[in-house]
Amino acid sequence: MPIFMDRHDVSESVTAEIVAQLHQEDLKIQHRYDCRGLTYWFDDIRKTAFCLVEAPDRDAIIQMHADAHGEVPHQIIEVDAAIVESFLGRIEDPAKAQDTKLNIINDPAFRTIMMVTIENHSFKISDPFSAFSNVQQYYKQILSILNTFNGNIVRQNKEGFLISFRTVQEAVLCALKIHENYRSSRTQYQIDFTELHIGLHAGIPVTNKKSIFEDTIKLAQRMCFVSIAAVVISTEVQQLFESENIGEDVNGTQFHVLTPREEKFLTSLMEFTEKEWQNPELKVEDFEINIGISKSKLYREMIRLTGKSPNVFLLHFRLRKSLRLLQKQKGNVSEVAYNSGFNSPSYYTKCFRKKYRIMPSELVQL
């Protein structure tokens, strides 16, 4: 049977004890609707509660809540139990809570999400990258750092790490340590063809999107396209960190705090790029029209945030996507070229070789 997570937006008067009582009422009648309440989370600060329920469908959950106490959810999404556990640390009630009559669980589902990417600009075997010739080797170092700061790995692949943290402080300090360790390795091994990017955002698991933490994950991923600093954080993360660490701030050369205005621009830019990057007819003018700004402002903002002009940004985005297609063997070089928005396989090969120091046909053979 599928598993769902719902969100309840509660009033200021609702407490953890009240939420625990409502959860117990659900458990009393859940069998009538073929449901099984696995656990719940309550955030007293943001006044949100989340239930994890095994059920035949969404309607069964709504009917169970309505019958038990009348507090129907505001949003329901289907989730994967393993993913939920990766983000939130559990899919059942904690052992200590199970031993109590009321089962009060003081655990908000609010999490800080980190995206870590290391973009490799060269795949030449002859490059002097020593033990770090494979970027995955560096990822092993990141694993030990994550353990120190209690980071839960949600996903790890060639594109990087997606990590969940219970506290903003651990996430920020972990990002700083990863950056410092990477910078030290670059200096020691004289590496000049990789780039580390870290994005940090915080949020709740269920919004109006279809998947868990979707809004938070997307912004953290998009922050990795910002080149002002190695670590980019949202304004919310900054405010939370500074509220928990009076007298300390995250401004400086290692961090860039994404302002609401920058976040809006980045979101518009990435949403349009992600939608249209395979379109060979795509032009800079299309970015201007869809984002709603002038050509000069588009250029200034993109240079400032990404370090690239609109044309170069689109080219590198397409090459990055094509690299993943080649690595996943999603077609031959010509097919990948056309599927990545290039009109000419020869021009694609030229651009690919310039960026990655290797022919795409050679990469396929590695």
Side-chain angles (χ1 to χ4, degrees):
M1 218 164 21
I3 295 177
F4 299 89
M5 177 175 278
D6 66 25
R7 186 191 82 235
H8 301 259
D9 299 328
V10 302
S11 67
E12 289 295 324
S13 61
V14 172
T15 63
E17 182 177 359
I18 292 175
V19 174
Q21 291 172 340
L22 296 178
H23 180 59
Q24 291 300 316
E25 294 303 313
D26 285 331
L27 299 182
K28 291 177 183 177
I29 67 163
Q30 60 182 359
H31 60 280
R32 300 179 191 172
Y33 302 95
D34 200 20
C35 293
R36 186 165 70 96
L38 300 174
T39 189
Y40 73 92
W41 292 262
F42 174 62
D43 191 335
D44 192 36
I45 296 175
R46 297 163 190 85
K47 293 300 179 183
T48 52
F50 303 89
C51 302
L52 190 66
V53 184
E54 188 177 54
D57 52 42
R58 291 172 174 81
D59 288 340
I61 297 174
I62 294 173
Q63 292 169 11
M64 178 189 71
H65 283 320
D67 189 9
H69 44 67
E71 297 293 335
V72 296
H74 293 83
Q75 193 75 24
I76 305 175
I77 61 172
E78 186 171 348
V79 295
D80 179 273
I83 297 297
V84 173
E85 188 169 18
S86 297
F87 275 117
L88 299 174
R90 61 184 172 86
I91 56 172
E92 295 180 350
D93 291 343
K96 289 183 179 180
Q98 292 172 348
D99 295 335
T100 63
K101 183 177 180 180
L102 191 53
N103 192 22
I104 298 176
I105 305 173
N106 290 310
D107 179 15
F110 187 84
R111 293 291 186 269
T112 301
I113 306 301
M114 175 192 290
M115 185 69 197
V116 181
T117 65
I118 300 178
E119 187 177 3
N120 196 343
H121 295 298
S122 176
F123 290 88
K124 287 179 64 177
I125 298 176
S126 58
D127 277 319
F129 200 40
S130 185
F132 297 92
S133 59
N134 187 336
V135 172
Q136 292 298 323
Q137 292 296 321
Y138 181 75
Y139 284 175
K140 293 179 181 179
Q141 297 186 30
I142 295 179
L143 289 173
S144 62
I145 297 174
L146 294 178
N147 290 333
T148 303
F149 294 94
N150 301 311
N152 288 334
I153 298 175
V154 178
R155 184 175 69 236
Q156 177 187 354
N157 53 32
K158 290 183 178 180
E159 296 180 6
F161 284 97
L162 180 64
I163 309 142
S164 173
F165 293 86
R166 284 181 177 272
T167 72
V168 169
Q169 180 170 349
E170 287 178 321
V172 171
L173 295 179
C174 182
L176 183 61
K177 183 64 177 178
I178 290 174
H179 170 58
E180 289 177 346
N181 198 51
Y182 173 77
R183 186 173 57 183
S184 175
S185 296
R186 277 176 59 96
T187 302
Q188 180 180 354
Y189 294 95
Q190 298 182 335
I191 304 164
D192 64 353
F193 48 82
T194 62
E195 289 182 56
L196 169 77
H197 297 283
I198 301 176
L200 281 177
H201 189 33
I204 58 176
V206 183
T207 59
N208 59 349
K209 297 298 191 295
K210 294 182 179 180
S211 59
I212 186 169
F213 285 107
E214 184 174 333
D215 292 326
T216 310
I217 293 170
K218 278 190 175 181
L219 183 56
Q221 290 174 328
R222 289 165 177 171
M223 286 175 175
C224 291
F225 286 89
V226 176
S227 63
I228 292 178
V231 182
V232 181
I233 66 175
S234 64
T235 301
E236 184 165 21
V237 168
Q238 177 201 30
Q239 292 172 345
L240 287 168
F241 180 83
E242 294 178 356
S243 68
E244 295 174 4
N245 300 271
I246 305 302
E248 296 185 32
D249 62 62
V250 288
N251 290 310
T253 57
Q254 295 150 322
F255 289 96
H256 176 73
V257 179
L258 200 68
T259 67
R261 181 181 63 81
E262 290 172 336
E263 180 182 328
K264 182 180 179 181
F265 173 80
L266 181 64
T267 298
S268 297
L269 170 66
M270 295 309 300
E271 283 183 349
F272 183 68
T273 305
E274 289 161 0
K275 179 182 177 183
E276 297 290 338
W277 68 276
Q278 292 176 291
N279 177 7
E281 304 301 321
L282 187 62
K283 304 181 294 296
V284 173
E285 289 78 8
D286 298 321
F287 285 90
E288 300 165 22
I289 295 171
N290 283 273
I291 297 176
I293 59 176
S294 66
K295 181 178 181 179
S296 58
K297 188 173 182 180
L298 174 69
Y299 184 87
R300 287 196 307 270
E301 286 300 293
M302 290 194 66
I303 289 291
R304 188 178 66 84
L305 281 178
T306 72
K308 300 179 177 71
S309 68
N311 279 323
V312 173
F313 177 84
L314 178 59
L315 173 62
H316 285 188
F317 187 91
R318 284 170 165 167
L319 289 173
R320 198 169 176 175
K321 287 288 191 179
S322 77
L323 175 63
R324 302 304 175 214
L325 292 175
L326 290 172
Q327 290 173 328
K328 294 177 181 178
Q329 299 181 336
K330 299 292 185 179
N332 59 39
V333 173
S334 293
E335 291 170 335
V336 167
Y338 289 124
N339 288 336
S340 301
F342 290 87
N343 284 314
S344 165
S346 61
Y347 177 67
Y348 164 69
T349 298
K350 178 182 177 181
C351 294
F352 191 94
R353 184 178 184 182
K354 182 178 180 180
K355 180 171 175 59
Y356 296 117
R357 308 185 191 181
I358 192 173
M359 301 285 281
S361 56
E362 293 177 283
L363 180 68
V364 172
Q365 297 170 9
L366 291 180

